Amino acid sequence: MRHPLSGRFVRQLFLAAALSVPAAALLAPVAEAQTRPVPPAAAPAAKPSPALLQLARDLVTANGEARAFDGVIPNIVDGAALSFLQTNPDLAKQLREVAVLVRPEFEKRQAEVIDILATSYATRFTEAELKEAIAFFRSPTGIKLVQDRPVIVQEAVQGIQVWGAQINAQAVERVRAEMKKRGVDL
């Protein structure tokens, strides 16, 4: 079992961010669970009609965002169980078993993630705009975008890591040079 902020969960959050999903909103409660109260939400926008909400659900399915959160619930449940390991390391096996046992209870709530995403879209886009977006994501180009996005994101992350390492090395050298001018050898 993994901590909810490791491996697959982090990749899912990054993918969600790349998909323009407010994944940080999911990350904060998981990371701060039982340590700080969650601040109250901002005043909600006008509640979208059921028809608009359904169009938005269709969009998050067509654009692949709904799939970006597959596996989030098991990771959250596993993380909740693992949170007891610090004070009860001898219960590791039992906590893993309990996590597996209670997962199905929470997996039934996966549709709530889609509704959260859909509500965000339904409050910001008109019916015509949602239909247009759905049409795009159901087109050959839209389908290709959804299919290729994970590879694109992976390549981008790798490229950004290399770029970041280069920038870091250059910054270290610049700081070292500036400190040397001040008589300090680093």
Side-chain angles (χ1 to χ4, degrees):
M1 276 193 218
R2 291 175 289 236
H3 186 276
L5 300 182
S6 67
R8 183 174 177 202
F9 187 69
V10 171
R11 285 190 302 275
Q12 288 170 336
L13 288 172
F14 184 84
L15 178 59
L19 295 170
S20 300
V21 174
L26 289 179
L27 179 59
V30 171
E32 298 176 13
Q34 301 174 354
T35 60
R36 273 192 254 171
V38 178
K47 188 173 180 174
S49 71
L52 197 60
L53 200 52
Q54 185 55 53
L55 279 173
R57 283 187 196 103
D58 293 346
L59 175 61
V60 298
T61 299
N63 71 11
E65 290 178 3
R67 285 193 315 266
F69 291 94
D70 288 350
V72 167
I73 289 176
N75 281 300
I76 291 171
V77 172
D78 292 352
L82 291 175
S83 71
F84 294 102
L85 278 179
Q86 273 187 323
T87 55
N88 303 286
D90 55 319
L91 298 178
K93 183 176 185 276
Q94 292 176 54
L95 287 167
R96 286 186 185 100
E97 291 169 356
V98 168
V100 170
L101 178 73
V102 302
R103 264 190 225 152
E105 174 184 340
F106 292 96
E107 286 173 341
K108 294 175 187 174
R109 299 183 62 186
Q110 184 70 28
E112 293 175 28
V113 173
I114 294 169
D115 285 343
I116 292 167
L117 291 167
T119 300
S120 285
Y121 279 104
T123 58
R124 289 169 180 78
F125 289 86
T126 66
E127 181 178 335
E129 291 168 332
L130 288 171
K131 286 179 178 179
E132 188 177 324
I134 292 166
F136 168 74
F137 282 106
R138 289 182 177 162
S139 73
T141 302
I143 291 168
K144 181 177 177 163
L145 176 65
V146 171
Q147 289 172 343
D148 291 356
R149 190 178 292 151
V151 173
I152 292 166
V153 169
Q154 182 179 3
E155 289 173 357
V157 167
Q158 290 169 347
I160 290 167
Q161 288 173 339
V162 168
W163 172 82
Q166 291 170 347
I167 294 294
N168 181 65
Q170 292 168 0
V172 164
E173 289 307 311
R174 284 290 293 125
V175 168
R176 185 175 282 137
E178 288 300 318
M179 292 301 290
K180 186 169 186 145
K181 288 179 187 177
R182 295 175 183 216
V184 178
D185 282 329
L186 298 176

